Amino acid sequence: MDNHRVTRLGAATLCAGMTLLGMPLMAWALEARLEGLSGDVAENVAFYLDDLDATQFSRARVEGEVQRRTREAMRVYGYYEPVLELTLDDQEPPRYVELAVEPGPRVRIETLSFRLEGDAQGDPPFQEAIDAFPLAVGDPLVHAPYDRLRGRLANLSLERGYFDWRFVDRRMEVRPFAESARLYLALDSGPRYRFGDVTISGSHIERQRLLNLLPFAPGDPYLAGELARYNQRLGQTEWFGSITVRPRLVEGRGLALEDAPLDWWQELDVSGGQVPAAGADGPRLSAAAIGSATGVVRTGPPVVPIDIAVTPADRHQFEVGVGYATDVGPRTRLAWHQPWINRFGHSLDHDLYLAAPEQRFSGVYTLPLENPLRDRYQFQYGFRHRDNEDTRSLEATLEAARRWEFENRWVQTLYVRSTFEDFTQGGESEQVLLLYPGIRWSRTRTRNPTFPSWGDRQRIAFEVSDGLWGSDADFVRVTGESQWIRMFGENTRLVAGTGFGAIETDDFGKIPPSLRFFAGGDRSVRGYAYESLAPRNEEGKLTGGQQLFTATAELQRRVTGDWWGAAFIDTGDAFEEWGPDDLNTGAGLGVRWISPVGPIRFDIAHPFDDEDNAWRLHFAIGPEF
């Protein structure tokens, strides 16, 4: 009771203060003190009485309203004949009510009769919904499961194309005097509609390329989720500024639903104005919105033609980015993206990257094939200048690639690359022209790409160069990596990964720095400078390694909100021979902040194998993947 008194005193003080300030008085919510009830029933009664404003009623009316709401709240749990004794306090208006309840007998289920008619009889989700009904004959009556089943059957009808559905029997017969209830529910789904012809308007892209993205074919049974899926696929192409995917119900069929709004046509749209980013969750079809369509009379066969309206995306898109990392210092990126350059959906990207140790300019021309999202040709070019530690390099690259994405989300890329590199590494200079084919398999899966709560990434690549086709160096090169992110509860996050690489060659001096291996830095072995871990020559200059191995494990814990603490350990090295004698290891602590521009990471790491540097700071912006 003391808690109630404190609540009333606080409210009275606030009310008096507002009166002195000339502000309107707040509404008084009547406080209920219950006896004789517990559990869900008590919580429901408290909920029903929670917004009762005693200032709006006379004292007698307040008593009547408390009784009415209490009985209504108990009825949904099967208590139809409670005995109520209530006492209001002496204040005007009353501030609280003391309510003693004798629940009385509880109604139990005597009959359950649920049945399906129409095509839904052979559609498993409908019977599964009925089988999942949690109550049985003899159980106490609770209204909510019956209401949920009724709503579930209605939603299934709309989501799965039964637009002529109706309940031919929908009864809950309660006999309080017999303490029994009979529940009846019968759905006549009518025929299941099927997808009809697809009409596309406003597209600047060849029609067949859009039809190749359809997850359904005309004549397939209707599924609302397939329309949302198609909308998402269209958005992932980046060809369009806006997309509308709309089912057109043929007029004349006898469809019925209560309270269908007049603007049913607009509510059937699957559109979001702006196209969602690739990989983001696609739009969802509202069952209620689809259901609103059923208030219109239509004629014709049970098919649903699909209307698609699109507008072109901006042909030229520009992006400017700036950042900082201890590996490279300040950095700037300028990007020019052309998501479409002709009616076949070809695209062109240009990218300029500027940082102290590295500057590069690159471009990619993409030719989508039959399935634009999965199959494509890509032609790339690039120029890069590097000046870091003992590495000086000027590089020009051309590449032609064929890309496939499989159902399991693995991506296979077969490519041929030509590289000319003029370099000095560890005091030795060389010029090489390389021509080498390669194959790469990769897969990235994430939930919430900016700061994943779950994700993993795998990549492995093989490359071969030989003088038989005019290359200046003979080598076989393999690289791979695997990374994982997992959440434990809502506040603990594990980030782990490993990477490896190897080059087999008879003349390592001909291998350019871009293909040699180095370790150390923000995204490698923390505690050591960027690309400072590699074999050295007699003069102590870095030469780069023929093999590479790195591994990391990081445990993160939420401190508050978007702030996380981290503890980590990294190990690895680049080396000349298979199986290094030892690995360089660093460990430390860090802070993570999920900022509006992406995660920001600040770490302090201790290198166990570098006596000259007791600690090293690492700072970076951007996600782990």
Side-chain angles (χ1 to χ4, degrees), residues 7-62:
T7 301
R8 292 201 308 277
L9 179 59
T13 303
L14 176 61
C15 184
M18 294 173 66
T19 302
L20 291 174
L21 292 173
M23 299 173 63
L25 291 177
M26 62 184 291
W28 284 104
L30 187 69
E31 180 185 325
R33 303 175 181 179
L34 300 177
E35 294 181 9
L37 293 178
S38 62
D40 293 340
V41 183
E43 290 181 7
N44 203 44
V45 170
F47 175 77
Y48 268 63
L49 297 177
D50 185 58
D51 62 347
L52 178 55
D53 182 7
T55 62
Q56 302 299 314
F57 305 99
S58 66
R59 194 175 187 87
R61 182 75 182 279
V62 170

Side-chain angles (χ1 to χ4, degrees), residues 211-490:
L211 295 180
N212 289 340
L213 293 172
L214 283 171
F216 57 86
D220 287 349
Y222 178 90
L223 278 174
E226 295 292 77
L227 296 186
R229 188 176 170 197
Y230 185 50
N231 184 282
Q232 183 177 4
R233 288 182 178 183
L234 292 176
Q236 289 174 346
T237 65
E238 301 184 1
W239 293 334
F240 307 109
S242 66
I243 302 168
T244 298
V245 179
R246 182 167 60 188
R248 182 181 359 123
L249 296 181
V250 182
E251 295 189 3
R253 300 288 300 184
L255 311 178
L257 183 72
E258 300 129 6
D259 301 324
L262 295 177
D263 59 346
W264 63 272
W265 181 269
Q266 287 75 21
E267 293 199 25
L268 278 171
D269 289 356
V270 183
S271 60
Q274 297 299 317
V275 176
D281 287 343
R284 297 287 192 270
L285 282 176
S286 165
I290 300 176
S292 64
T294 61
V296 179
V297 177
R298 303 172 181 87
T299 60
V303 296
V304 183
I306 305 300
D307 293 333
I308 301 165
V310 296
T311 60
D314 293 338
R315 196 165 187 173
H316 301 279
Q317 301 174 11
F318 300 92
E319 181 182 348
V320 179
V322 295
Y324 179 87
T326 47
D327 281 351
V328 299
R331 61 192 180 197
T332 301
R333 177 176 175 266
L334 305 173
W336 173 20
H337 178 45
Q338 295 175 267
W340 60 276
I341 59 177
N342 56 32
R343 65 188 180 92
F344 301 108
H346 295 184
S347 64
L348 182 60
D349 294 309
H350 305 278
D351 192 272
L352 175 64
Y353 174 86
L354 301 173
E358 179 180 342
Q359 305 85 45
R360 65 175 181 262
F361 179 70
S362 60
V364 181
Y365 187 91
T366 301
L367 286 76
L369 298 177
E370 183 176 357
N371 187 326
L373 297 180
R374 291 188 173 181
D375 302 326
R376 68 188 68 161
Y377 285 108
Q378 289 183 323
F379 300 94
Q380 302 185 44
Y381 70 88
F383 303 93
R384 181 168 69 161
H385 174 259
R386 296 176 65 194
D387 187 351
N388 180 58
E389 294 286 342
D390 301 320
T391 302
R392 307 288 185 276
S393 173
L394 185 61
E395 174 188 356
T397 300
L398 292 174
E399 178 182 297
R402 173 70 163 89
R403 179 187 184 275
W404 298 264
E405 182 175 341
F406 305 115
E407 290 288 347
N408 59 9
R409 299 181 63 180
W410 279 94
V411 175
Q412 175 181 278
T413 305
L414 186 65
Y415 57 91
V416 176
R417 183 178 300 157
S418 175
T419 298
F420 174 79
E421 195 159 347
D422 183 355
F423 66 90
T424 300
Q425 183 66 58
E428 298 184 4
S429 299
E430 189 65 79
Q431 291 184 351
V432 294
L433 176 63
L434 303 177
L435 179 64
Y436 54 98
I439 188 169
R440 179 173 61 248
W441 294 278
S442 62
R443 182 178 68 177
T444 299
R445 302 179 297 176
T446 62
R447 299 171 188 165
N448 182 18
T450 301
F451 194 71
S453 58
W454 180 95
D456 54 57
R457 178 173 67 177
Q458 289 81 35
R459 183 187 63 83
I460 186 168
F462 298 90
E463 298 167 332
V464 180
S465 177
D466 197 289
L468 291 175
W469 49 75
S471 193
D472 288 344
D474 298 345
F475 65 82
V476 176
R477 185 173 186 265
V478 58
T479 57
E481 64 176 346
S482 184
Q483 294 177 280
W484 309 273
I485 296 175
R486 295 293 186 269
M487 288 282 289
F488 301 93
E490 296 183 354

